[in-house]
Amino acid sequence: MSAAIKGPSLTLKAREAISGWLFVSPILTGFMIFFVGPLIAVFYYSTTEWNLLSQQSHFVGIENYVDALTRNDTFWDVLVNSLVFAAGLVPLNMLLALGLALALSRSVRGAVFFRTVFFAPVITSAVAWAIIWTFLLQHESGAVNRALSVIGINGPNWLHEPHWAMASVIFTRVLKTVGLNMILYIAALQSIPRDYTEAARLEGANGWEIFRRITWPLLAPTTLVIMVITVVGSLKVFDHIYLMTGGGPQNATLVLAFYIYEQGFKFFNTGYASALAVILFVLILALTILQTILKAARK
Amino acid sequence: MAKLQLKELRKSYGTVDVIKGVDLTIEDGEFCVFVGPSGCGKSTLLRMIAGLEDITGGTFEINGSRMNDIAPAKRGVALVFQSYALYPHLSVYENIAFGLKVRKTSASEIKTRVGDAVTMLQLEKLTERYPRELSGGQRQRVAIGRAIVGQPQTFLFDEPLSNLDAELRVHMRTQISELHQRLERTMIYVTHDQVEAMTLADKIVLLRDGRIEQVGSPHDLYERPQNLFAAQFMGAPKMNIFTLTGAFETLQESLKLDRNAHYCGIRPGSFEIAQDEKGIFSARVKLKEYLGNSCLIHADVEGHDPIILEQPVNTDIAKDSLIFLNANPRHVHLFASDGNRIQ
């Protein structure tokens, strides 16, 4: 009788596990080096007083956090600015995205053209977008004020008056980013079976009732995702502020990400800037966790 | 009460004509089944009756009133969709109550009507569940419940059983039949399944390519098909059709058929295998299929014309054997050269 053929020394499960780890190892290595590493470094730097120029560093514990949260009034102003920016941008962006999606999700003439028009700013350079709007919103020579003057309105100095600067930045940011949310809503709307709305029509529901009782509840998962990415994106806003207002006038548009940049790279308070970055990270993490909880609650 | 009349009804999408002039009357309380092959326009016709598709031409009337431009909700019809179309975010109770809520029915009335529907359809224990937590048959019952509570005069069913397994389909078929008897409302039912059509219908409307091929009772369609299409569509396996030329020219003489007949049709079960080699023609057996209560024999006449016979299950026939066949002339259907029945 011949001897039984010897199989591989490792089990199938073990061999599959090794293959799996080999496949993910490149991205995992990159993730550890370029994401987890800097994250840990920022946490560490936030517990030091470190000047980037002098390269002098010493451990101060939670001093930077205490400083930001209790002694520095600017931090709270900045946080309020960030929240105002988010509170202005998120509802406006989502409402506009939903409205555009409802109008452009149907296969009507011109829908594809207008979808492209509203999505184009998303793929446009943020720098170009901000610079163009900076010109358009010029006080005397800007196209916006010239257009307003035609109908007898004397437009304000949009980017240099504290009240209007924040509104202007929010508005231009909404126009820049609304296309992405519109596409997400269009995808969600098109995935709702036509049978639902037809069944509702047969049962006597009008357009508003179909939206309120059928479409809107079925869009809830998409709305939740859009809300979180828009809130997170609005809290991280930097480029628009940097290019259009530089945080001014009178710190009216000084938001957290820009404040971190100023502290870290203008004033070289690297430790303090790191603490602010950690606070921003925790804020965003809390929102992400909130999303998970809300999703779980829905189920 | 709802008597439906379709007068020269037409539907086009651009230059493509889908419904090409349909004239039909459906009596009050009648169970009418639209049957036909895929793409024949039966679902489109149903959706035109429901108001979900615009009518391109002709008139649709309910009890003599023109309905062409009346909103779906005001036609007094309820539609049970093939997909059931249950709202996934609403419970069974909320799904059934949906139409009543949007029509601003009082809370007590909603409770009574939904309660009655739930009891009738044996859904009492499922009212708090969501559609994703229901089986196919349960979803179907909820969809019917949603139709019932609106107390429509006409029920429309768009292939409602096509997503169910064979056993459940038979069960739900009997439930729909019982529902019709209980409610005594006009029902229009779309299917491509001829068994559903035969078992449920008072009246079958056989459609092909946007036109009606035949209207009649299940018995009429089976026993007196008006043309070759109807003859071959109704009945499984389908009727054998012989062109009375060439190999089958002798049938005219041997069966004493009408001289005007160009085709003759014989259902698989209407053949007898002759024991004495004296048949109207012979065929060579290619395949025998066992069906439990009978068997199907696939054979070729003169090596090329295929025929199917349905015989008792104990028929002893070997593959490649030559069989001689007879048919009772009373069970032979005759058609002229244009394909229409010879009376």
Side-chain angles (χ1 to χ4, degrees), chain A residues 85-206:
Chain A
F85 183 83
L89 181 132
V90 174
L92 192 61
N93 187 318
M94 291 180 69
L95 272 174
L96 195 58
L98 181 61
L100 289 170
L102 286 169
L104 301 176
S105 62
R106 288 167 290 177
S107 51
V108 290
R109 193 185 290 269
V112 174
F113 171 75
F114 283 106
R115 275 182 223 165
T116 311
V117 166
F118 286 105
F119 189 73
V122 177
I123 52 168
T124 305
S125 152
V127 176
W129 187 256
I131 289 172
I132 287 167
W133 275 101
T134 306
F135 281 118
L136 292 174
L137 294 170
Q138 291 283 318
H139 186 207
E140 300 291 337
S141 55
V144 173
N145 278 353
R146 281 190 187 178
L148 287 174
S149 68
V150 172
I151 53 169
I153 296 172
N154 190 15
N157 192 352
W158 299 101
L159 297 174
H160 296 94
E161 289 180 22
H163 283 315
W164 289 108
M166 181 60 98
S168 303
V169 176
I170 288 172
F171 177 72
T172 55
R173 181 76 178 175
V174 165
L175 292 184
K176 172 82 173 72
T177 56
V178 72
L180 182 64
N181 290 347
M182 174 194 75
I183 290 293
L184 292 174
Y185 265 134
I186 285 175
L189 283 168
Q190 289 180 340
S191 71
I192 296 174
R194 194 177 62 162
D195 285 359
Y196 294 159
T197 49
E198 288 184 343
R201 269 176 69 200
L202 271 162
E203 293 191 273
N206 58 30

Side-chain angles (χ1 to χ4, degrees), chain A residues 194-205 209 213-214 217-218 298-299, chain B residues 47 50-51 72-73 79 81 83 85-89 98-99 102-104 146:
Chain A
R194 194 177 62 162
D195 285 359
Y196 294 159
T197 49
E198 288 184 343
R201 269 176 69 200
L202 271 162
E203 293 191 273
E209 278 167 330
R213 293 175 188 270
I214 309 290
L218 293 177
R298 270 183 58 79
K299 285 175 184 166
Chain B
R47 290 169 59 82
L79 173 60
F81 288 80
S83 66
L86 300 182
Y87 310 123
H89 58 292
F98 182 88
V102 297
R103 285 177 172 140
K104 309 275 188 281
R146 206 168 64 180

Side-chain angles (χ1 to χ4, degrees), chain B residues 176-333:
Chain B
I176 290 172
S177 191
E178 283 170 14
L179 191 74
H180 178 237
Q181 285 167 17
R182 192 183 305 180
L183 299 175
E184 296 178 337
R185 299 287 160 88
T186 310
M187 292 189 176
I188 305 176
Y189 188 104
V190 163
T191 182
H192 61 265
D193 182 337
Q194 54 171 289
V195 179
E196 276 175 32
M198 298 289 275
T199 51
L200 286 168
D202 297 323
K203 176 190 278 177
I204 292 179
V205 178
L206 177 62
L207 291 148
R208 180 173 64 155
D209 197 20
R211 288 193 178 90
I212 292 179
E213 289 288 327
Q214 187 171 352
V215 179
S217 67
H219 184 268
D220 281 347
L221 265 86
Y222 191 79
E223 297 296 340
R224 296 185 59 77
Q226 291 304 300
N227 52 42
L228 285 172
F229 175 75
Q232 291 205 287
F233 191 85
M234 304 306 287
K238 65 181 185 179
M239 183 188 283
N240 298 289
I241 300 291
F242 304 102
T243 308
L244 297 172
T245 53
F248 302 107
E249 198 168 358
T250 54
L251 290 180
Q252 207 137 30
E253 194 61 40
S254 54
L255 290 171
K256 297 185 173 57
L257 304 179
D258 189 309
R259 285 285 155 201
N260 296 320
H262 187 73
Y263 302 98
C264 83
I266 304 173
R267 293 209 182 273
S270 300
F271 281 112
E272 282 172 21
I273 298 174
Q275 302 301 321
D276 53 2
E277 298 193 357
K278 284 184 182 170
I280 50 176
F281 58 85
S282 62
R284 195 162 296 279
V285 175
K286 305 298 289 181
L287 177 71
K288 184 178 165 187
E289 290 178 317
Y290 175 72
L291 296 181
N293 56 351
S294 64
C295 67
L296 295 181
I297 295 163
H298 297 255
D300 280 349
V301 180
E302 293 197 350
H304 45 80
D305 292 312
I307 59 164
I308 301 177
L309 332 173
E310 189 169 7
Q311 294 294 308
V313 72
N314 55 1
T315 305
D316 186 21
I317 286 177
K319 187 177 175 237
D320 290 330
S321 60
L322 193 65
I323 52 172
F324 294 85
L325 300 168
N326 276 321
N328 185 335
R330 282 195 353 204
H331 295 145
V332 176
H333 304 262

